[in-house]
Amino acid sequence: MIYPSNFEEKIGFTQIRTMLGEACLGDLGREWVTSMQFQIQPGVIQKNHRQTSEFLKIQESDLPFPADHYLNMLPLFKKIRVEGTAPEVEELFFLKLSLDTIRAVLNYFKGEEAEEVPLLKELAKEVPFFPAVLDQVNKIIGNKGQIKDGASGELKRIRGSLKEKESHVSSRMQRILKQAKAEGIASEDTELAIREGRQIGRASCRERV
């Protein structure tokens, strides 16, 4: 135990903690910084200092470190532990982004450049990763967060049926418009457009004279 109890505040460590929290990329990092305490063990201090120096070397290198999508997925994990619950599409997409980032970080420390940061490389080996989970998510969610047609056989059938019907409707509308132009009901510059999922004409019609 460090004495006095306000030692961290007296030496300005609380301000350092605040600055670190503001620089974190995600909620979990900020939570970790909040719980961080002043260290008094020389061995731990030296190791942490070397790790910090190694990451500074990474920041100064030409090879960019993965710095996107540090997301807090704990609420999702707690949610799906309840029997009968399932993740929403957006939650699956966030899980995909998070797993993609973790894989990118682990791959970074498998490269030749990681030989120059041995402590961080060793630290990365302790991070568990389940590629099978990411593979399953990638089968369902696309890179833009949309559900893929092949997510299930039934979904693929339904979407295929919808596309077929949309194509049929579009062809019929084109024939109707062509006939309307021929009969003088629609002006020659009238074209079909999609608005709120419906096809409409983009030029005003005129009554037959």
Side-chain angles (χ1 to χ4, degrees), residues 2-204:
I2 300 176
Y3 181 84
S5 59
N6 62 344
F7 174 76
E8 292 184 355
E9 184 175 352
K10 282 181 173 295
I11 66 171
F13 190 71
T14 52
Q15 287 85 351
I16 293 176
R17 184 188 288 111
T18 299
M19 293 171 60
L20 287 174
E22 293 174 349
C24 288
L25 298 178
D27 294 339
L28 291 177
R30 283 185 283 271
E31 290 179 10
W32 186 86
V33 168
T34 300
S35 64
M36 183 176 62
Q37 295 181 335
F38 190 82
Q39 184 58 249
I40 60 175
Q41 299 180 24
V44 175
I45 294 174
Q46 292 172 2
K47 182 177 180 180
N48 290 344
H49 183 267
R50 291 198 299 270
Q51 288 175 335
T52 302
S53 298
E54 287 184 0
F55 197 77
L56 181 60
K57 183 182 296 185
I58 289 176
Q59 293 293 86
E60 294 174 345
S61 70
D62 296 329
L63 186 62
F65 188 81
D68 294 323
H69 310 308
Y70 284 81
L71 307 172
N72 182 4
M73 302 308 302
L74 291 180
L76 171 61
F77 298 151
K78 292 179 180 178
K79 170 185 173 180
I80 61 178
R81 289 182 66 182
V82 179
E83 186 176 354
T85 60
E88 302 292 336
V89 175
E90 185 180 46
E91 292 172 328
L92 273 181
F93 181 52
F94 288 159
L95 177 60
K96 168 184 165 58
L97 294 178
S98 181
L99 291 174
D100 281 338
T101 297
I102 294 174
R103 181 173 61 182
V105 171
L106 297 181
N107 287 339
Y108 186 98
F109 288 111
K110 292 178 181 177
E112 295 181 0
E113 296 80 3
E115 299 300 327
E116 300 182 9
V117 287
L119 289 179
L120 293 181
K121 181 178 180 178
E122 189 64 27
L123 187 63
K125 292 180 180 179
E126 302 176 7
V127 178
F129 184 67
F130 306 95
V133 176
L134 180 56
D135 291 341
Q136 289 299 318
V137 173
N138 282 333
K139 291 179 181 179
I140 301 172
I141 301 295
N143 292 330
K144 295 183 179 180
Q146 78 284 9
I147 299 180
K148 292 183 176 180
D149 290 347
S152 72
E154 181 65 11
L155 178 61
K156 186 175 183 180
R157 184 192 67 77
I158 292 173
R159 287 186 172 177
S161 177
L162 288 174
K163 288 180 180 179
E164 183 179 349
K165 287 180 172 60
E166 289 173 356
S167 177
H168 176 74
V169 170
S170 178
S171 297
R172 183 165 177 76
M173 289 291 292
Q174 290 288 354
R175 290 196 300 270
I176 292 174
L177 178 59
K178 183 178 180 180
Q179 182 177 353
K181 288 181 179 180
E183 295 178 1
I185 299 175
S187 61
E188 289 298 326
D189 61 346
T190 302
E191 296 179 356
L192 292 176
I194 302 296
R195 179 179 297 171
E196 297 180 355
R198 298 182 178 181
Q199 286 191 332
I200 61 173
R202 291 195 297 186
S204 59

